[in-house]
Amino acid sequence: MTEIAIEKRLGSFALDVKLEAPESGITALFGRSGVGKTSVINALAGLMRPDRGRIVVGGVTLFDGERGINLPPEKRRLGYVFQESRLFPHYSVRGNLLYGAKNDGTGPGFDAVVDLLGIKDLLGRRPADLSGGEKQRVAIGRALLASPRLLLMDEPLASLDAARKNEIVPFIERLRDELKLPIFYVSHEMEEIIRLADLLVLLDAGKVAASGTVEALTSRLDLWPLTGRYEAGAVIRTVLRGHDTSFGLSELAFPGGRLRVTRLALPLGTPIRVRIRARDVVLATEKPAHLSIRNAFAGKVIELAPPRGAQVDLKLDIGSTQEPVMLWARITERACQELQLAPGMPIFALVKSVALDHHSYGRYDSGEAETA
């Protein structure tokens, strides 16, 4: 368990953060620029001293203002991956990896890290000869070889283009799934959070606004100013239950139905989170027929948000009696009035399979505890 309770005055900005994170998985710090995300992990790393408070990682106290404890960065055993790779230009990839490596048997060995990150063919190159994605993989490997008890990642994909981001994300997923290493991950991109996060911590004005599962927080209307209203939607948990090879489709099961999506190259039984944007949901008051849309789920209206402009957001439940599954739909106010939609009204929610792309999916631990 990682425990943080710190305060720090930075000019006119006041950081006052209290949170707990599990001993494995990815804790995502999410929020707009300037809300204190990087300050939190700099305090964890020992690069910024809080004015007061306490930081404990895995039972080891890194900082305690009252007791006068403030371990220096090199004593904290934390790995740090920055937005820029910060590799030594005069060292080869092998040299960069071995710089600061610890052979104490507490972390993965050199060969295991090289294999995990797929960088065996890069070992003899210099950083100048690497792509942005390759540099970040080497930077991650260097951090891992320091045998950290916790890995800090400060917007590691921010400087990469879309193709390089897609290259790196699967490797970060492998770190989470195979090494079981706790990771603090800073980002202001919800797509990254959906794919990677186990625990989502929303920061606003130097404080924790909310923390919990991605599913729980993205379904809350009051948090949309922080999670992003334009791309508003819901995240649901599913399990990959079938493949339709004839038509290139896969079926994702959730309490209440099955979601048909373009084929996923994953084994059956894989737990998958799916983000369904509110603007991609169509509503019908009667069971639809003769439509190209393959996903139609019976449910009911739970909540109507106040209209904004010509649009209205509706919260729906498309789950089973025993287990609700929340979905959001965004329609025009005129359509809402003409359909006479109101809380408690039965509805059919339609989702196009092609509306869900690779940015919509993220794997999760099926044994993951709810914290929201």
Side-chain angles (χ1 to χ4, degrees):
M1 181 71 71
T2 297
E3 304 170 53
I4 302 172
I6 56 173
E7 297 178 30
K8 176 71 175 180
R9 171 66 66 173
L10 298 164
S12 61
F13 179 78
L15 186 72
D16 184 359
V17 168
K18 297 177 179 62
L19 66 91
E20 292 185 352
E23 61 184 10
S24 64
I26 295 179
T27 296
L29 304 181
F30 181 82
R32 296 182 294 271
S33 297
V35 298
K37 303 184 300 295
T38 297
S39 295
V40 172
I41 63 170
N42 280 344
L44 269 166
L47 302 180
M48 181 191 79
R49 181 190 176 104
D51 296 330
R52 61 190 63 84
R54 189 166 179 261
I55 301 173
V56 179
V57 176
V60 178
T61 300
L62 306 185
F63 174 81
D64 191 316
E66 290 188 359
R67 297 165 58 194
I69 297 174
N70 185 31
L71 295 185
E74 65 273 15
K75 298 292 186 181
R76 296 194 176 200
R77 277 192 54 207
L78 305 183
Y80 203 140
V81 179
F82 297 88
Q83 186 176 129
E84 301 292 340
S85 61
R86 303 195 182 187
L87 300 179
F88 298 115
H90 56 293
Y91 283 2
S92 66
V93 166
R94 183 185 296 275
N96 271 279
L97 291 172
L98 292 175
Y99 185 88
K102 291 183 173 60
N103 298 313
D104 57 6
T106 60
F110 182 86
D111 291 339
V113 167
V114 168
D115 180 64
L116 181 74
L117 296 171
I119 52 179
K120 183 176 181 180
D121 293 339
L122 308 180
L123 294 177
R125 297 192 200 173
R126 296 289 179 92
D129 299 321
L130 304 178
S131 69
E134 290 169 340
K135 290 178 182 177
Q136 283 301 77
R137 278 190 278 160
V138 175
I140 293 170
R142 183 173 61 182
L144 291 177
L145 286 170
S147 298
R149 58 167 60 96
L150 177 69
L151 184 63
L152 308 173
M153 306 186 82
D154 187 8
E155 303 209 40
L157 309 184
S159 63
L160 305 179
D161 59 27
R164 300 291 79 76
K165 287 182 180 180
N166 293 334
E167 169 193 328
I168 292 293
V169 167
F171 292 103
I172 299 176
E173 288 177 326
R174 291 190 67 186
L175 297 184
R176 177 197 62 195
D177 299 340
E178 298 181 23
L179 296 186
K180 304 298 182 183
L181 180 71
I183 299 171
F184 268 65
Y185 188 95
V186 169
S187 179
H188 62 270
E189 295 290 342
M190 184 54 76
E191 289 179 352
E192 296 175 27
I193 301 302
I194 298 303
R195 291 193 64 177
L196 297 171
D198 298 295
L199 175 69
L200 172 58
V201 178
L202 296 177
L203 292 179
D204 186 38
K207 293 181 171 59
V208 175
S211 66
T213 63
V214 176
E215 298 88 342
L217 299 195
T218 56
S219 69
R220 286 176 51 181
L221 178 64
D222 61 309
L223 295 178
W224 280 8
L226 304 180
T227 57
R229 185 178 187 276
Y230 175 72
E231 287 297 312
V235 177
I236 65 175
R237 293 189 178 202
T238 70
V239 177
L240 181 58
R241 291 301 188 202
H243 293 301
D244 184 346
T245 55
S246 299
F247 294 98
L249 298 173
S250 294
E251 288 191 354
L252 306 177
F254 66 93
R258 291 200 172 199
L259 181 67
R260 293 173 177 84
V261 301
T262 52
R263 194 177 193 285
L264 301 175
L266 294 170
L268 298 181
T270 301
I272 299 173
R273 280 193 302 235
V274 184
R275 187 184 190 204
I276 302 176
R277 295 173 178 83
R279 58 186 171 88
D280 292 329
V281 178
V282 177
L283 300 182
T285 56
E286 298 180 357
K287 187 173 182 178
H290 310 297
L291 294 176
S292 63
I293 297 179
R294 299 292 88 188
N295 299 302
F297 307 111
K300 64 180 178 179
V301 178
I302 300 296
E303 178 184 356
L304 273 73
R308 294 187 59 170
Q311 298 178 337
V312 178
D313 295 308
L314 299 92
K315 188 176 185 178
L316 317 170
D317 180 1
I318 60 169
S320 65
T321 304
Q322 296 78 21
E323 189 171 346
V325 175
M326 297 300 137
L327 201 64
W328 282 93
R330 176 168 292 169
I331 63 175
T332 65
E333 185 179 8
R334 177 173 178 174
C336 186
Q337 291 185 7
E338 289 181 352
L339 294 175
Q340 299 181 342
L341 300 178
M345 181 176 177
I347 201 75
F348 287 89
L350 286 66
V351 181
K352 296 176 67 173
S353 298
V354 294
L356 305 174
D357 57 20
H358 67 278
H359 298 298
S360 306
Y361 307 113
R363 283 177 282 178
Y364 69 92
D365 181 355
S366 57
E368 175 184 326
E370 294 289 344
T371 57

